[in-house]
């Protein structure tokens, strides 16, 4: 499964929210307004940071090869099926009637037992080859994810605040490989920005950070898997 920054954040929140109760599997669902917070932030910043990009919400801890996933906006009087970009990623469509209601985003899956996770945000600019990411997309995805986290309930914000994670400038300090990495193992990470190129081993301890302003939003990040026959 993909590693995300919110594995860290949610593990803290899970402890605060769970208390001493026995963990049980819960339906995968979120408040519509919570996801709308991320969508609004993306809409406000995409024109300058990731023009032409789209925002998708990826189901957390769901096998990307698993099909038949269905995501809906559910209100008391109406259900709206959301478009799936892939087996595990969906798009949030505007629904003015849901903005001021108790509408929920509901998936036909359960969370892993005892867990609650936000969807993972993916910002993708058009025209990029498979396996290539754009720096500005990753930066915007992380910032929008943090906005969604800060919109969460009091206990979640208190848990995160206690860990001082927001004060550390999480997105600036986060390694580029921690947001929207490819599925499967990889050996090297290559960053290209115009004539500049940096190749780093995936296993090294100090990879390029999202907040490194020496690299522009247009920098490209690609991943390489070595052949089993290479020495």
């Amino acid at each position: 499964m993909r590693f995300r920054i919110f594995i860290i954040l949610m593990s803290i929140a899970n402890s605060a929210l769970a208390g001493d109760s026995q963990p049980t599997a819960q339906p995968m669902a979120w408040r519509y307004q919570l996801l709308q917070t991320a969508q609004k932030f993306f809409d406000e910043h995409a024109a300058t940071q990731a023009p032409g990009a789209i925002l998708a919400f990826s189901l957390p801890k769901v096998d990307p090869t698993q099909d038949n996933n269905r995501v809906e906006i559910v209100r008391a009087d109406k259900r709206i099926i959301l478009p799936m970009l892939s087996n595990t990623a969906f798009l949030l469509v505007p629904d003015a009637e849901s903005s001021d209601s108790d509408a929920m985003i509901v998936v036909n899956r359960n969370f892993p037992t005892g867990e609650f996770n936000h969807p993972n945000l993916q910002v993708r600019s058009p025209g990029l080859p498979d396996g290539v990411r754009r720096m500005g997309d990753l930066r915007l995805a992380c910032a929008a994810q943090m906005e969604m986290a800060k919109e969460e309930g009091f206990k979640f914000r208190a848990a995160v605040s206690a860990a001082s994670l927001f004060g550390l400038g999480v997105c600036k300090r986060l390694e580029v490989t921690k947001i929207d990495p490819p599925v499967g193992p990889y050996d090297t990470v290559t960053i290209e920005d115009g004539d500049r190129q940096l190749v780093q081993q995936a296993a090294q301890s100090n990879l390029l950070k999202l907040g490194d302003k020496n690299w522009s939003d247009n920098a490209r990040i690609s991943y390489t898997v070595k052949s089993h026959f290479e020495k």
Side-chain angles (χ1 to χ4, degrees):
M1 300 299 294
R2 296 177 177 180
F3 176 80
R4 300 284 183 143
I5 179 178
F6 281 87
I7 291 177
I8 301 171
L9 298 186
M10 286 302 178
S11 65
I12 297 170
N14 287 339
S15 299
L17 294 172
D20 297 326
S21 61
Q22 185 68 27
T24 58
Q26 300 292 332
M28 189 174 289
W30 308 276
R31 292 181 296 113
Y32 174 85
Q33 288 178 317
L34 178 64
L35 274 62
Q36 193 180 45
T37 297
Q39 185 70 55
K40 285 182 176 178
F41 184 89
F42 169 81
D43 291 342
E44 290 169 359
H45 294 83
T48 55
Q49 196 163 2
I54 61 171
L55 172 68
F57 296 80
S58 180
L59 303 179
K61 297 189 177 181
V62 174
D63 186 340
T65 65
Q66 182 180 32
D67 55 12
N68 298 320
N69 295 317
R70 187 180 69 254
V71 186
E72 299 174 293
I73 300 176
V74 177
R75 302 201 311 263
D77 59 342
K78 190 175 182 181
R79 303 173 78 96
I80 302 173
I81 297 177
L82 295 177
M84 300 294 295
L85 196 64
S86 67
N87 285 343
T88 56
F90 65 93
L91 303 177
L92 189 67
V93 301
D95 182 21
E97 295 180 48
S98 296
S99 298
D100 298 316
S101 71
D102 294 327
M104 298 290 293
I105 303 295
V106 180
V107 188
N108 61 334
R109 302 291 174 206
N110 287 340
F111 287 116
T113 301
E115 293 190 21
F116 172 84
N117 299 278
H118 286 164
N120 301 315
L121 301 192
Q122 298 176 344
V123 175
R124 299 282 176 84
S125 287
L128 293 180
D130 291 342
V132 176
R133 306 289 185 257
R134 180 178 171 276
M135 183 73 79
D137 295 355
L138 302 185
R139 288 167 174 164
L140 183 53
C142 186
Q145 189 104 47
M146 293 302 292
E147 287 299 310
M148 187 167 60
K150 288 188 286 186
E151 181 68 16
E152 191 55 280
F154 173 76
K155 288 184 179 180
F156 179 88
R157 292 199 304 272
V160 173
S161 178
S164 300
L165 291 176
F166 284 119
L168 291 176
V170 174
C171 288
K172 291 182 178 180
R173 295 171 181 262
L174 197 68
E175 294 176 351
V176 295
T177 56
K178 296 300 190 291
I179 295 289
D180 200 15
V183 176
Y186 54 90
D187 298 300
T188 61
V189 182
T190 301
I191 301 95
E192 296 178 282
D193 193 1
D195 295 333
R196 300 175 60 210
Q197 183 182 82
L198 174 67
V199 180
Q200 296 185 294
Q201 295 299 312
Q204 73 180 72
S205 59
N206 196 14
L207 294 172
L208 182 69
K209 304 296 192 296
L210 286 176
D212 188 336
K213 292 301 183 181
N214 291 314
W215 299 87
S216 74
D217 282 342
N218 285 321
R220 302 296 198 261
I221 299 97
S222 58
Y223 302 83
T224 304
V225 179
K226 289 185 179 178
S227 166
H228 293 297
F229 298 103
E230 290 186 22
K231 300 297 183 181

